[in-house]
Amino acid sequence: MLNWGSGANNPKFKQRRQNLVDKLRDKGIEDERVLSAINMVPRHVFVDTALEDRAYKDSALPIGKKQTISQPYTVARQTELLEAKPGEKVLEIGTGSGYQAAILCELGAEVYTVERHKKLYEKARSTLRELGYSVQAKLGDGTKGWSAYAPYDAIVVTAGAPVVPDDLVDQLNVNGRLVVPVGSEERQEMVRIIKIRKDEFERERYSSFKFVPLIGEKGWKG
Ligand code: SAM
């Protein structure tokens, strides 16, 4: 499926990717599908070439516009909580580099993603296209979701929200999962909302993380 240009399949990075997967397993990631997706996606292609040597460390890296590609552990944990199955429709808010979208593609999901920064949106689209990942991408305010394609089986927000954006809850399918970090601008706890029935939800809370802010009409003010 992938057109691995730009040294994406370089053996040096392949070994580092395997080491990263081993580290994530040690840190408690259990879902083998998620780990194997991380083993497939060339994270170094999603960062500036000056940073590619750091791409397989378990840390966030800058991608421009004061934004980051999330720490691999964070991506793995959010993806694990999302429980995305092949063929499911998944919406990501906060495309950033496009890395998380590629991981979702590797899980066999039909991926929709929204980014508010034009430069990041354009760069992510071209990286994903170059690698052969098919993703529907939109430039806009993801705090309002993407109603044109709703409902979604799963929604992941990759920026920290002050509250759970209600439009995202509305755009969930029955049995749908919304994974969103919620809290202050300094620290957020991971929240998972599962839509049990039309108007019935289960809300679970997980450990805390530090994300860049979700900025928009239903998020922080920019
Ligand atoms: N998922 C990304 C990746 O794999 O590289 C990392 C995301 S970065 C931590 C968070 C992203 O959310 C940033 O690119 C930021 O511009 C974006 N963002 C913040 N508020 C947003 C909003 N209201 N709608 C869409 N994107 C938003």
Side-chain angles (χ1 to χ4, degrees), residues 190-203:
M190 200 62 76
V191 172
R192 178 165 72 171
I193 290 174
I194 303 177
K195 186 168 183 172
I196 310 289
R197 280 186 210 91
K198 192 169 175 287
D199 286 315
E200 198 180 330
F201 299 89
E202 225 171 67
R203 186 182 171 123

Side-chain angles (χ1 to χ4, degrees), residues 43 46 60-61 63-71 75 78 92-103 113-117 120-121 124 138-144 156-160 210-220:
R43 189 172 186 255
F46 291 84
L61 290 170
I63 54 170
K65 295 280 166 198
K66 297 192 188 147
Q67 304 303 319
T68 55
I69 179 172
S70 301
Q71 181 185 350
V75 174
Q78 285 201 289
E92 176 196 24
I93 307 303
T95 316
S97 67
Y99 177 72
Q100 170 78 76
I103 296 285
T113 183
V114 184
E115 170 59 50
R116 66 183 284 271
H117 279 296
L120 299 180
Y121 156 79
K138 177 183 162 177
L139 177 65
D141 178 5
T143 63
K144 295 182 285 184
V156 60
V157 182
T158 67
K210 164 86 182 115
F211 281 83
V212 294
L214 180 75
I215 295 172
E217 199 178 307
K218 308 280 179 83
W220 297 100

Side-chain angles (χ1 to χ4, degrees), residues 75-201:
V75 174
R77 189 68 187 119
Q78 285 201 289
T79 310
E80 195 168 57
L81 289 171
L82 213 54
E83 293 180 0
K85 295 161 204 72
E88 284 194 334
K89 261 168 86 174
V90 180
L91 173 66
E92 176 196 24
I93 307 303
T95 316
S97 67
Y99 177 72
Q100 170 78 76
I103 296 285
L104 294 168
C105 287
E106 287 290 348
L107 290 174
E110 189 181 310
V111 182
Y112 299 79
T113 183
V114 184
E115 170 59 50
R116 66 183 284 271
H117 279 296
K118 188 161 187 266
K119 202 172 153 226
L120 299 180
Y121 156 79
E122 285 172 348
K123 177 81 174 33
R125 266 182 27 141
S126 83
T127 308
L128 289 163
R129 197 177 304 129
E130 183 192 336
L131 289 169
Y133 290 112
S134 166
V135 167
Q136 299 292 322
K138 177 183 162 177
L139 177 65
D141 178 5
T143 63
K144 295 182 285 184
W146 192 350
S147 59
Y149 292 102
Y152 302 94
D153 301 301
I155 302 177
V156 60
V157 182
T158 67
V163 293
V164 176
D166 51 2
D167 286 342
L168 299 186
V169 176
D170 291 345
Q171 289 175 26
L172 273 184
N173 221 340
V174 174
N175 292 323
R177 294 81 59 198
L178 166 63
V179 175
V180 51
V182 180
S184 67
E185 285 192 74
E186 286 69 44
R187 208 77 206 158
Q188 306 85 33
E189 66 178 3
M190 200 62 76
V191 172
R192 178 165 72 171
I193 290 174
I194 303 177
K195 186 168 183 172
I196 310 289
R197 280 186 210 91
K198 192 169 175 287
D199 286 315
E200 198 180 330
F201 299 89

